Amino acid sequence: MRWPKGLTGLCYGGDYNPEQWPAELWPEDVALMRRARVTLVTVGVFAWSRLEPEPGRYDFDWLDRVLDLLHAGGIRVALATPTAAPPPWFSLRHPDALPVTADGVRLSHGSRDTYCASAPAYRAAARRIATALAQRYADHPALALWHVHNEYGTTCHCEYVAAAFRRWLRERYGGLDALNDAWTTSFWSQHYTDWEQIRTPVATRYLGNPGQLLDFRRFVSDELLGAYLEQRDLLRAATPEVPVTTNYVLGDWVPVDHARWSAEVDLVAIDHYPSESGPGAEEQTAFAADLARCWARRSPGGPAWLLMESAPNLILTPGRMHAKEPGRLLRHSLAHVARGSRGAMFFQWRASRGGAELFHSALLPHAGPESRTFREAVALGESLTRLAEVDAGTVAARVAIAWDASCRWAMQATVLPSASLDYAAEVAAAHRALWRAGYPCDLVIPGDDLSGYALLVLPALYLVSDRYADQVRGYVAGGGHLVVGYLSGIADEYGRVRPGGYPGAFRDLLGIRVEEFHPLDPAERVPLADGTTGRLWSEPVRLAGATVVTTYAGGTVAGRPAVTRHDHGAGVAWYVSTRLDDDAYRDLLRRAAERAGVAPACPAAPPGVEAVRRGDGAGRSWLFLLNHTATTQTVPAAGTDLLTGGHLDPVTLPPGGCAVLREDGAAG
Ligand code: GLA
């Protein structure tokens, strides 16, 4: 396992941007970091203009001092390459390396991420600054980890990108005939007769081509990966013993297939900022952490991963920032650690006085160390040191949900029967339902081994290859339990509809046939015969071997099956043709899980108490219990609470309280 050099136990810290502060303040930073038991900080992530104030003239003196101070304080460094924010001189010198929007507007510097990742001048400058950093700091004793760039996810529509896209397409399709066929270019006279005719999906008169859009997103993911690999390889060559990573950003605008990238990072690192403040934040946190954990299995550093950035308090969201109430800092951090994160890192250490994110929270807020946030930061540091032993364990799940970046991108084309359909929201709804029912679950991508799962859920798996459909069929035939959501199996891997009736690839497996869709208005609810409701979507399902679980009791498809079940081989396949309300979805997945013989992590945990178990596979296990409710809760579980050192049986959690039990009865 490759892990930040010289670090044991859990990591704690965050982005440290000393270039924003006078040098006289740096010793105080280090002293306060020590007080908070910070172990790792990311340095230099947006410091390009300070590191290379003029082309080819480097100023490393200040960074030398910072790294020396940190080292003297026993704090290790994730040294970043600053390539997400080229200096103004760079864009003035290389206007061709500035990004172009889909509307043809060339952007200018003044923010961050304003570069074209395919522009030769940008790539060369990025390699140069990364090489200079590697040469300067290869032997620095504080260096624990290379942090390449920041949150890869930009797109551009300039001529460099168009040329790179064409090269990517030639490699994928070989010939234009195959591309024309995959993109159905016979529709609206788009037949290509020369590769040079192909553009990126720029602004056009009316709806664009969904096949082109899908391939463009796949291409951007590969292109950005190429930019990362260039830096990774030169850093690896300079310091083979120092792992290299980049921090993933999650969001529907990000054209990055993180699952596939994960084979190329030495450890998976994510940034996570829930967009909600209530219980939705807990659900989003669990979802993101489960994704990261499953991506990490593909990485040489896996199954461990790292929460690289999160917000200590106020989160920068459009409209209104929301604050973390007392206690949530620890609870949120533990929710990540419970799912395998080797620590909790934050954006950022000291709150900025100016710049675009001056009101984004920090471990050391504007108010200084005499503040609630800093006190909680100190307490978190102490808690994390007490949890070092959990590092040995990981979560074992017998339930999995399918996740596929291509599917998400295919559904982002504005050509679906309803604008309310959102792939990530569908997957999140399934995850939320299982989270509420207390089942730990994995996120699997096409091709992942399914043999360890008793239950597999495919929410809106719109696009599916023949190969994956066969794999899923084999899984059920072999005894697996499957729940398929509406809008699954519809299209092939190019995004073309599979003819013969929906849900295309899964018709036979599900024992049903659907001839048409009846999308619902966003505000519309349709009653089901079992007293629950559906929304967003409805379909007149016809049985072709399946049995009815419940039917539509209203709407345009009243009387037709809404949920079905079909035995296939040794397994069973359910179909859900509408978006069930949250409670009904939870109950349905619980039924399916019970039938599949799977139990929740802590069956007796009351609603609102999250229970996640990390086990080391050799008899030791740790049960994380997080009380997300505003009332005291009691959980019938027993063990030593690592947070307090006390033995608990049962566990009584105050409102918002947490416990991490080394479980009784476990070897150890
Ligand atoms: C991400 C970025 C940081 C900062 C925060 C703000 O984590 O990496 O630079 O912008 O978001 O939420």
Side-chain angles (χ1 to χ4, degrees):
M1 182 184 295
R2 297 173 63 81
W3 191 243
K5 205 181 136 201
L7 267 168
T8 52
L10 300 176
C11 301
Y12 178 44
D15 280 29
Y16 177 39
N17 299 305
E19 68 275 18
Q20 295 177 16
W21 300 97
E24 298 73 61
L25 216 61
W26 300 345
E28 180 188 311
D29 279 326
V30 175
L32 290 172
M33 284 177 194
R34 286 175 63 82
R35 200 198 295 174
R37 298 174 195 245
V38 162
T39 59
L40 179 70
V41 289
T42 303
V43 179
V45 72
F46 296 114
W48 196 343
S49 65
R50 294 291 305 275
L51 291 170
E52 191 181 0
E54 290 168 26
R57 182 173 73 76
Y58 298 109
D59 176 5
F60 288 128
D61 291 352
W62 67 271
L63 189 54
D64 292 351
R65 286 185 57 198
V66 168
L67 261 55
D68 291 350
L69 271 172
L70 289 165
H71 178 60
I75 295 156
R76 306 202 50 79
V77 170
L79 189 54
T81 64
T83 51
W89 62 253
F90 174 81
S91 52
L92 292 171
R93 205 174 225 230
H94 303 287
D96 62 319
L98 287 168
V100 176
T101 66
D103 291 324
V105 176
R106 200 177 275 278
L107 302 177
S108 189
H109 64 263
S111 180
R112 65 175 174 189
D113 288 319
T114 315
Y115 55 82
C116 165
S118 303
Y122 169 76
R123 286 284 188 97
R127 284 193 301 270
R128 271 198 308 274
I129 185 75
T131 305
L133 282 163
Q135 284 170 350
R136 182 87 176 184
Y137 297 108
D139 297 322
H140 198 286
L143 178 65
L145 173 69
W146 288 109
H147 177 298
V148 174
H149 201 83
N150 189 68
E151 301 188 333
Y152 278 102
T154 53
T155 46
C156 170
H157 292 272
C158 75
E159 283 307 319
Y160 294 127
V161 176
F165 185 38
R166 288 192 283 267
R167 282 195 296 277
W168 185 92
L169 290 168
R170 283 179 104 120
E171 194 149 311
R172 178 169 170 81
Y173 291 107
L176 276 175
D177 286 351
L179 178 139
N180 279 312
D181 186 37
W183 288 8
T184 319
T185 55
S186 45
F187 190 79
W188 284 351
S189 180
Q190 290 171 9
H191 192 82
Y192 294 105
T193 54
D194 189 319
W195 290 99
E196 293 304 311
Q197 296 164 353
I198 300 173
R199 312 284 310 267
T200 63
V202 287
T204 187
R205 171 61 70 187
Y206 183 44
L207 300 175
N209 183 314
Q212 180 189 18
L213 194 70
L214 172 60
D215 272 344
F216 183 65
R217 300 234 158 96
R218 288 168 164 154
F219 151 77
V220 175
S221 180
D222 288 354
E223 186 73 355
L224 293 176
L225 182 60
Y228 164 76
L229 290 178
E230 260 179 25
Q231 292 197 41
R232 184 203 64 181
D233 291 349
L234 67 86
L235 295 169
R236 255 192 198 167
T239 53
E241 74 293 358
V242 179
V244 187
T245 191
T246 183
N247 51 335
Y248 295 165
V249 57
L250 317 182
D252 59 5
W253 55 276
V254 182
V256 167
D257 186 342
H258 295 115
R260 298 193 191 283
W261 275 49
S262 295
E264 307 294 349
V265 296
D266 288 330
L267 74 124
V268 164
I270 66 161
D271 297 351
H272 191 249
Y273 300 93
S275 60
E276 291 181 40
S277 55
E282 326 298 352
E283 293 158 357
Q284 291 181 15
T285 298
F287 182 35
D290 280 339
L291 275 171
R293 181 167 51 77
C294 295
W295 292 337
R297 290 191 193 146
R298 309 168 165 275
S299 147
W305 57 279
L306 182 61
L307 173 67
M308 188 63 97
E309 291 179 30
S310 55
N313 192 344
L314 277 187
I315 299 184
L316 191 70
T317 42
R320 176 178 70 93
M321 295 188 178
H322 55 260
K324 280 188 173 168
E325 71 277 17
R328 202 160 199 164
L329 183 66
L330 174 66
R331 221 164 67 242
H332 261 185
S333 302
L334 292 184
H336 284 285
V337 174
R339 292 179 167 77
S341 176
R342 291 190 77 177
M345 306 275 292
F346 295 86
F347 179 84
Q348 58 180 330
W349 163 250
R350 187 187 275 276
S352 304
R353 288 191 62 193
E357 295 185 336
L358 77 172
F359 288 114
H360 193 286
S361 54
L363 292 169
L364 185 59
H366 291 144
E370 294 310 317
S371 58
R372 195 260 296 180
T373 302
F374 189 70
R375 281 190 290 277
E376 287 200 32
V378 172
L380 174 60
E382 196 179 332
S383 296
L384 291 174
T385 57
R386 293 188 181 156
L387 296 185
E389 69 183 61
V390 306
D391 214 14
T394 191
V395 175
R398 298 203 58 226
V399 180
I401 304 175
W403 172 263
D404 184 16
S406 279
C407 199
R408 178 183 213 174
W409 297 333
M411 284 180 61
Q412 283 173 342
T414 49
V415 295
L416 295 185
S418 163
S420 305
L421 296 168
D422 175 339
Y423 175 68
E426 292 298 325
V427 180
H431 188 274
R432 185 164 66 238
L434 287 164
W435 185 86
R436 289 185 182 184
Y439 291 94
C441 76
D442 284 351
L443 281 303
V444 290
I445 67 163
D448 277 352
D449 180 12
L450 299 175
S451 59
Y453 300 110
L455 175 65
L456 173 66
V457 187
L458 308 183
L461 197 73
Y462 171 72
L463 179 149
V464 64
S465 65
D466 290 349
R467 201 170 161 180
Y468 193 34
D470 284 348
Q471 192 193 351
V472 171
R473 212 172 285 121
Y475 161 81
V476 180
H481 291 235
L482 176 75
V483 177
V484 176
Y486 61 94
L487 217 72
S488 291
I490 306 294
D492 65 14
E493 65 207 274
Y494 305 105
R496 299 172 305 195
V497 168
R498 294 170 174 279
Y502 314 119
F506 300 124
R507 245 176 7 238
D508 299 346
L509 171 58
L510 295 167
I512 55 162
R513 184 161 178 271
V514 177
E515 292 169 26
E516 56 189 82
F517 298 140
H518 289 227
L520 303 176
D521 189 73
E524 208 177 336
R525 298 287 180 272
V526 59
L528 306 186
D530 62 4
T532 63
T533 51
R535 59 195 179 90
L536 289 174
W537 196 257
S538 65
E539 294 172 345
V541 175
R542 274 185 197 287
L543 301 178
T547 54
V548 176
V549 176
T550 191
T551 51
Y552 289 98
T556 55
V557 295
R560 303 297 286 270
V563 179
T564 61
R565 198 174 53 230
H566 185 227
D567 293 332
H568 176 85
V572 54
W574 305 65
Y575 183 62
V576 186
S577 69
T578 183
R579 167 75 89 79
L580 298 174
D581 61 51
D582 277 353
D583 287 352
Y585 205 0
R586 178 202 57 206
D587 293 347
L588 182 98
L589 292 185
R590 187 186 277 141
R591 262 167 85 186
E594 280 168 1
R595 239 184 130 107
V598 191
C602 180
V609 174
E610 181 174 1
V612 187
R613 180 172 286 106
R614 272 179 87 151
D616 70 354
R620 286 199 306 168
S621 63
W622 298 269
L623 183 65
F624 286 69
L625 295 168
L626 314 176
N627 180 7
H628 299 305
T629 74
T631 51
T632 298
Q633 301 284 353
T634 302
V635 187
T640 303
D641 180 13
L642 300 184
L643 294 173
T644 59
H647 187 268
L648 305 177
D649 181 10
V651 181
T652 301
L653 299 167
C658 312
V660 182
L661 298 189
R662 183 196 302 131
E663 295 191 278
D664 284 351

